Amino acid sequence: MRTTKVVSITLPPPLLEQAQALARQENRTMSELMREALRQYQRERPAEKTRTHMETIANETPVRTEDEVVPVIQEYRSEKKPVEQEAFKESAESNRNQWNSVRSLIAAGPPSILNPR
């Protein structure tokens, strides 16, 4: 039993000639070339959608130079709710405490099995 389906497509003559030339160059059949083209399209499509979305956002943003970025970030941060800022401070404090513990362990040196502390 066949595991593939036959599909008929139409191409303008110049595009067909380019596809046939490419298939010859790569020693592929036209079917292999079309399958690979579809796979590549499927891989690139999500990235293209993201890129288009980000370009739309960038075009709507008043920031045009790197010097304009800092004021926009500061404005955003000043608009954040105090609860979010407090959660960030608590997280930063926890991270600081963890790093201090790691630094203490490093400063103490490796534990010795023969000379326990």
Side-chain angles (χ1 to χ4, degrees):
M1 178 174 264
R2 189 176 199 143
T3 60
T4 60
K5 299 281 185 183
V6 176
V7 177
S8 175
I9 63 169
T10 59
L11 297 172
L15 187 56
L16 175 61
E17 290 170 12
Q18 291 173 353
Q20 289 171 330
L22 186 57
R24 275 192 303 277
Q25 283 176 341
E26 296 189 1
N27 294 319
R28 294 178 178 222
T29 65
M30 287 293 288
S31 291
E32 290 171 335
L33 184 69
M34 293 299 141
R35 282 191 295 267
E36 180 58 29
L38 181 56
R39 285 186 199 106
Q40 186 172 347
Y41 178 80
Q42 287 175 320
R43 279 191 305 269
E44 292 177 4
R45 186 70 178 136
E48 182 59 32
K49 283 183 176 181
T50 300
R51 192 172 19 262
T52 301
H53 179 69
M54 297 307 289
E55 285 175 1
T56 301
I57 291 171
N59 290 334
E60 294 171 355
T61 304
V63 176
R64 296 288 174 238
T65 67
E66 288 183 32
D67 293 337
E68 296 173 334
V69 172
V70 173
V72 171
I73 291 172
Q74 289 172 341
E75 179 182 339
Y76 171 77
R77 287 179 178 166
S78 70
E79 293 172 356
K80 289 180 89 174
K81 296 177 186 170
V83 173
E84 292 174 343
Q85 291 176 348
E86 190 59 37
F88 177 77
K89 287 178 186 175
E90 288 173 6
S91 174
E93 183 63 29
S94 173
N95 288 342
R96 210 174 358 267
N97 291 339
Q98 289 174 351
W99 275 112
N100 287 337
S101 296
V102 169
R103 285 188 191 105
S104 297
L105 289 171
I106 292 171
S112 172
I113 295 174
L114 300 175
N115 298 319
R117 293 184 180 178

